[in-house]
């Protein structure tokens, strides 16, 4: 005989697809929220490069919230009609920095120093990821593109670049300040000059196909609240006043 008092099914998790550089603060915030009294579905994160996540969403992977490290990937989804109108928001900022392995004997390195012949391997993001876009903009702005092109090692995410440098697989790399700050194996030697690349802005939006758009929008708004903003600041992100985007 079936039980007269059956338990209600557990709510479907809210799937958040986010740039891997956001993993640290997002997981910390989720842990705090799990201990709070706020109602809402549990969170399930999928971290990857913004370019890979964009392609997965276009291929039909069911996602509720997308958090991108670049505007280009979000623009592509908006152009394809995949975003819930009015949900897109600019949330955080970052800086691009030049790093070397912490154990390297090289104590200093400027962007101009990337032309030195003894510097044979420089990791950057590949053409599918925002960190690669910003890196190539800097190299172009400083007139370094041709000189360093044969020594560039393109990788699939900012974290992959940071890992390659920290492990000594390459001699230098261009990463986000937040990634450099999170890895003891890296030493920051220079920050990209002002105006040498487009502003690094993280944007979030709810997917039009979300099965729970109200909860998805509520989650996006929690990232703009002071406790979340402070956690992102501690991880090396900039936290400008979040604003809706067209």
């Amino acid at each position: 005989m079936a039980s007269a008092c059956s338990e209600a099914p557990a709510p479907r998790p809210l799937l958040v697809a986010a740039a891997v550089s956001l993993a640290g603060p997002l997981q910390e915030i989720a842990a705090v929220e799990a201990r709070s009294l706020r109602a809402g579905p549990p969170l399930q994160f999928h971290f990857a490069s913004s370019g890979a996540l964009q392609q997965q969403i276009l291929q039909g992977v069911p996602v509720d919230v997308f958090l991108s490290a670049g505007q280009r990937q979000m623009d592509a989804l908006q152009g394809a009609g995949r975003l819930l109108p009015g949900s897109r928001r600019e949330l955080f900022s970052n800086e691009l920095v030049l790093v070397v392995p912490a154990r390297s004997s090289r104590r200093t390195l400027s962007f101009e120093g990337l032309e030195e012949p003894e510097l044979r391997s420089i990791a950057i993001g590949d053409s599918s990821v925002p960190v690669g876009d910003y890196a190539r903009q800097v190299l172009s702005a400083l007139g370094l593109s041709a000189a360093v092109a044969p020594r560039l090692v393109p990788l699939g995410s900012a974290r992959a670049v940071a890992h390659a440098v920290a492990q000594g697989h390459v001699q230098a790399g261009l990463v986000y300040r937040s990634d450099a700050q999170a890895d003891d194996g890296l030493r920051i030697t220079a920050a990209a000059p002002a105006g040498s690349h487009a502003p690094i802005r993280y944007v979030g939006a709810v997917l039009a196909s979300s099965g729970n758009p109200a909860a998805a929008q509520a989650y996006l708004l929690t990232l703009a609240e002071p406790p979340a903003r402070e956690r992102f600041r501690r991880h090396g992100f900039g936290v400008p006043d979040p604003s809706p985007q067209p």
Side-chain angles (χ1 to χ4, degrees):
M1 182 187 300
S3 170
C5 273
S6 58
E7 293 184 3
R12 186 182 76 83
L14 200 67
L15 182 56
V16 179
V20 68
S21 53
L22 296 171
L26 287 179
Q27 289 171 328
E28 282 187 15
I29 293 165
V32 171
E33 288 295 314
R35 295 194 297 269
S36 75
L37 297 178
R38 293 188 183 189
L43 296 174
Q44 179 179 336
F45 291 110
H46 175 39
F47 296 113
S49 72
S50 298
L53 294 173
Q54 172 209 333
Q55 292 303 316
Q56 290 168 18
I57 292 169
L58 288 172
Q59 291 164 11
V61 173
V63 168
D64 295 292
V65 177
F66 178 41
L67 301 174
S68 174
Q71 303 274 8
R72 177 165 62 93
Q73 290 73 20
M74 195 68 82
D75 288 344
L77 292 178
Q78 185 164 338
R82 299 301 181 94
L83 304 186
L84 186 70
S87 69
R88 180 170 171 169
R89 304 181 69 84
E90 185 175 293
L91 294 168
F92 315 109
S93 63
N94 217 323
E95 289 184 277
L96 194 74
V97 296
L98 180 60
V99 294
V100 298
R103 63 179 181 271
S104 169
S105 60
R106 184 186 294 274
R107 308 305 300 178
T108 62
L109 178 65
S110 66
F111 278 91
E112 291 73 18
L114 294 176
E115 292 186 290
E116 297 175 8
E118 62 269 23
L119 203 65
R120 297 177 302 278
S121 55
I122 306 159
I124 67 169
D126 67 27
S127 59
S128 73
V129 295
V131 72
D133 293 340
Y134 300 128
R136 280 182 287 278
Q137 290 169 21
V138 172
L139 296 175
S140 176
L142 299 179
L144 299 171
S145 298
V148 304
R151 291 172 281 163
L152 295 181
V153 180
L155 299 170
S157 71
R159 284 292 173 88
V161 174
H163 179 75
V165 179
Q167 294 300 309
H169 301 319
V170 293
Q171 294 167 286
L174 282 77
V175 299
Y176 297 129
R177 180 175 292 278
S178 57
D179 286 313
Q181 183 174 308
D183 195 327
D184 292 339
L186 299 175
R187 181 188 306 125
I188 298 174
T189 62
S196 62
H197 61 80
I200 301 173
R201 297 287 185 265
Y202 289 76
V203 288
V206 176
L207 275 296
S209 58
S210 171
N212 195 342
Q217 292 200 76
Y219 171 72
L220 203 54
L221 290 175
T222 66
L223 300 181
E225 294 177 355
R229 286 161 60 82
E230 180 55 32
R231 287 185 182 275
F232 273 92
R233 184 179 289 109
R234 275 184 264 154
H235 279 264
F237 292 85
V239 285
D241 290 333
S243 59
Q245 292 191 312

